[in-house]
Amino acid sequence: MQELTHYINGEHVTGSSGRFSDVFNPATGEVQARCPLASSEEMDKAVAAAAAAQPAWGATNPQRRARVLMKFVDLLNRDMQKLAEALSREHGKTVPDAKGDVQRGLEVVEYCIGAPQMLKGEFTDSAGPGIDMYSMRQPLGVTAGITPFNFPAMIPMWMFAPAIACGNAFILKPSERDPSVPLMLAELMEEAGLPKGILQVVNGDKEAVDAILDHPVIQSIGFVGSTPIAEYIYGRGCSNGKRVQCFGGAKNHMIVMPDADMDQAADALVGAGYGAAGERCMAISVAVPVGDETADRLIEKLVPRIEKLKVGPYTAGDDVDYGPVVTAAAKENILRLVESGVEQGAKLVVDGRDFSLQGYEDGFFVGAHLFDHVTPEMDIYKKEIFGPVLSTVRAGSYEEALKLAMDHEYGNGTAIFTRDGDTARDFANRINIGMVGINVPIPVPLAYHTFGGWKKSAFGDLNQHGPDAFKFYTRTKTITSRWPSGLKEGGEFHFKAMD
């Protein structure tokens, strides 16, 4: 069995805490590796190495830092297949999905190659008599990120690429469920020319997280995960004087208006609801058709599409629509919530509870589920299921549909499908949710815009990637400068009055 390591100061380091976490193959249920869980002492070593390396990196010309990222992009493209297969083995998502995971991270790296432009300050000539004023953006120092299992390539790159481009050192604490790809990314960054100590990977659980939150040298923390943990990290990190951005859970609604193209809407719901087994914070988990006739038409379109979904291991190639969920505990939680939906009166239109895959009976596979007549009081509506389960909540009017999305505690993403521009514009303006799609089911912004939700889906005032990332990973310093002017007379320098 493989024993994984930490990556500290440019070296693979064996864990010394004596504690480990099992890493499963979700398709077979077998343990394929052990991940070390760092102690606070091990985290201290990583922080010390980062603190020693960062000043020289921070003083490096931004263009030279960008060249490292340029080389890193080349290496990501070179190793795309290798990275995707390693990701699929530990996460369970299909190889095409895994390539998409790497690609969306790569796009943020490409954006960060523009660091010299993004880090330019401002200048005001003659702000007063003989006075100039200018600002500069400077790195924070040592920064850290705590990332989730569902995007083990993309989200780490969303964090460490801008942090490093800005001149910081970065300590990554990835999910212990699928830690291999983050370790591979650190190796590739060093191959691209990054100095030792600037990007380090420290695997761990709550002890490692708390060590990050409490360490006086670490200046900022990024987090993506569940809302309860996001609240914990945000509160404890801020109380320790750190800059913190945390992104939590989601319950994304897609409103389907009577005038929508039902085939387009149904295709969008199937892709957005069941892709990656629903283990995406931007997955659509609630369909809100407006009017019973719209709901009936939508359900009629959805059922055959859902029943045709192919579930299987990543080794099956492109013939699989989605793979297993990440752990046995995740599978149990999904099925428990499905049972609660049945018990609380929702209609289970497509029942995947008895799904079993021949030859992979011990894998963590979950069949596709579709509920109709779900109400806001039900657990399957209130809670983030994070699995292949789509709930349909029928709304009597557009205003009722809008209110459903606006009243939910989460505000990550939402979408509306309609042919009416006025309705779409009203929805975009009024909805209290951070990312909005109009006839687009998963409205994830491109790298040069920012990603972030509202309400209990996000904590902190700056989003991920885009211009916000360069603000988050730097401090602004403003300088007011006055140089006395004078005339040389007889070899002496005579100062003129400044005021």
Side-chain angles (χ1 to χ4, degrees):
M1 182 186 301
Q2 183 183 11
E3 188 165 307
L4 300 175
T5 63
H6 308 298
Y7 194 80
I8 297 175
N9 204 24
E11 304 290 339
H12 283 279
V13 177
T14 301
S16 61
S17 71
R19 298 187 306 118
F20 294 88
S21 176
D22 290 336
V23 179
F24 292 90
N25 180 332
T28 65
E30 296 173 342
V31 177
Q32 59 182 329
R34 294 203 312 166
C35 176
L37 303 176
S39 64
S40 58
E41 290 77 17
E42 289 172 292
M43 185 63 72
D44 286 343
K45 292 179 181 178
V47 174
Q54 189 276 326
W57 179 248
T60 300
N61 183 297
Q63 193 167 356
R64 294 182 181 275
R65 298 198 298 256
R67 287 174 186 155
V68 172
L69 296 180
M70 291 172 67
K71 178 62 175 175
F72 180 57
V73 167
D74 290 340
L75 297 175
L76 287 172
N77 283 309
R78 182 197 71 186
D79 289 355
M80 179 70 74
Q81 185 70 25
K82 179 181 176 182
L83 289 163
E85 289 180 0
L87 195 159
S88 294
R89 278 194 300 271
E90 292 183 349
H91 178 278
K93 66 174 69 176
T94 65
V95 171
D97 245 350
K99 287 182 177 178
D101 188 331
V102 178
Q103 179 65 33
R104 290 309 295 264
L106 183 154
E107 289 167 5
V108 169
V109 180
E110 288 176 328
Y111 175 77
C112 292
I113 291 170
Q117 171 68 22
M118 299 302 299
L119 293 173
K120 288 196 311 184
E122 298 173 328
F123 185 88
T124 299
D125 176 59
S126 298
I131 296 174
D132 299 327
M133 190 174 294
Y134 61 97
S135 66
M136 59 177 70
R137 305 200 72 89
Q138 295 187 318
L140 302 177
V142 179
T143 60
I146 302 162
T147 57
F149 76 88
N150 59 329
F151 286 97
M154 181 184 80
I155 296 178
M157 284 191 273
W158 282 12
M159 293 185 188
F160 74 65
I164 288 170
C166 290
N168 300 287
F170 192 88
I171 295 172
L172 173 63
K173 204 301 286 181
S175 171
E176 64 275 21
R177 297 176 188 175
D178 44 12
S180 290
V181 167
L183 290 166
M184 294 167 70
L185 295 176
E187 292 174 338
L188 291 180
M189 281 292 285
E190 189 169 328
E191 184 179 347
L194 189 71
K196 297 179 186 297
I198 297 301
L199 175 59
Q200 306 186 77
V201 180
V202 182
N203 293 299
D205 55 5
K206 187 176 185 297
E207 182 174 347
V209 170
D210 287 345
I212 289 171
L213 294 173
D214 295 338
H215 204 292
V217 173
I218 295 175
Q219 300 298 303
S220 75
I221 301 168
F223 170 80
V224 176
S226 70
T227 287
I229 299 177
E231 290 179 307
Y232 169 76
I233 289 174
Y234 188 73
R236 185 159 172 171
C238 289
S239 69
N240 285 328
K242 304 184 190 306
R243 184 178 292 182
V244 187
Q245 59 174 190
C246 292
F247 299 90
K251 198 71 177 178
N252 303 320
H253 295 58
M254 185 175 122
I255 295 173
V256 181
M257 297 299 293
D259 67 342
D261 181 322
M262 285 301 144
D263 286 309
Q264 183 189 43
D267 286 340
L269 279 168
V270 171
Y274 301 97
E279 292 179 317
R280 299 188 289 208
C281 68
M282 290 298 288
I284 294 292
S285 54
V286 182
V288 188
V290 175
D292 283 334
E293 182 183 352
T294 305
D296 291 341
R297 289 164 55 211
L298 182 63
I299 294 293
E300 183 181 358
K301 297 284 188 181
L302 283 172
V303 170
R305 287 168 165 82
I306 295 169
E307 291 178 339
K308 289 178 183 177
L309 287 172
K310 296 178 181 178
V311 184
Y314 82 93
T315 51
D318 295 342
D319 291 335
V320 172
D321 292 302
Y322 71 85
V325 296
V326 69
T327 61
K331 177 179 177 178
E332 290 169 8
N333 182 62
I334 293 163
L335 294 177
R336 184 167 54 250
L337 282 165
V338 168
E339 291 294 342
S340 77
V342 174
E343 293 168 2
Q344 292 170 13
K347 182 180 179 182
L348 188 53
V349 180
V350 178
D351 187 350
R353 288 175 292 181
D354 295 330
F355 178 84
S356 180
L357 188 64
Q358 186 175 0
Y360 295 89
E361 288 82 4
D362 294 328
F364 311 139
F365 294 95
V366 180
H369 297 77
L370 173 64
F371 279 103
D372 194 6
H373 298 285
V374 175
T375 63
E377 296 77 28
M378 296 177 181
D379 288 340
I380 56 171
Y381 178 78
K382 293 187 290 185
K383 296 182 179 180
E384 184 178 33
I385 300 175
F386 230 57
V389 182
L390 179 63
S391 297
T392 306
V393 182
R394 296 178 177 227
S397 66
Y398 166 69
E399 289 295 334
E400 183 183 336
L402 185 70
K403 189 174 186 300
L404 280 167
M406 293 187 71
D407 286 352
H408 204 285
E409 65 175 337
Y410 294 128
N412 206 44
T414 189
I416 187 169
F417 274 63
T418 180
R419 289 186 174 98
D420 187 284
D422 182 57
T423 301
R425 187 173 186 275
D426 180 79
F427 181 78
N429 285 335
R430 291 171 61 190
I431 197 71
N432 59 347
I433 290 172
M435 292 171 282
V436 181
I438 298 172
N439 298 317
V440 174
I442 303 181
V444 178
L446 293 176
Y448 40 86
H449 288 267
T450 65
F451 178 105
W454 290 12
K455 296 184 283 187
K456 284 199 171 183
S457 292
F459 303 86
D461 60 346
L462 291 171
N463 287 340
Q464 295 187 97
H465 66 66
D468 274 14
F470 285 87
K471 296 176 183 176
F472 183 76
Y473 288 112
T474 59
R475 291 188 180 97
T476 300
K477 181 183 288 182
T478 305
I479 298 94
T480 303
S481 171
R482 180 168 67 178
W483 293 95
S485 61
L487 296 174
K488 287 186 177 180
E489 295 179 1
E492 297 182 355
F493 195 81
H494 299 277
F495 292 102
K496 298 196 299 185
M498 290 291 98
D499 299 319

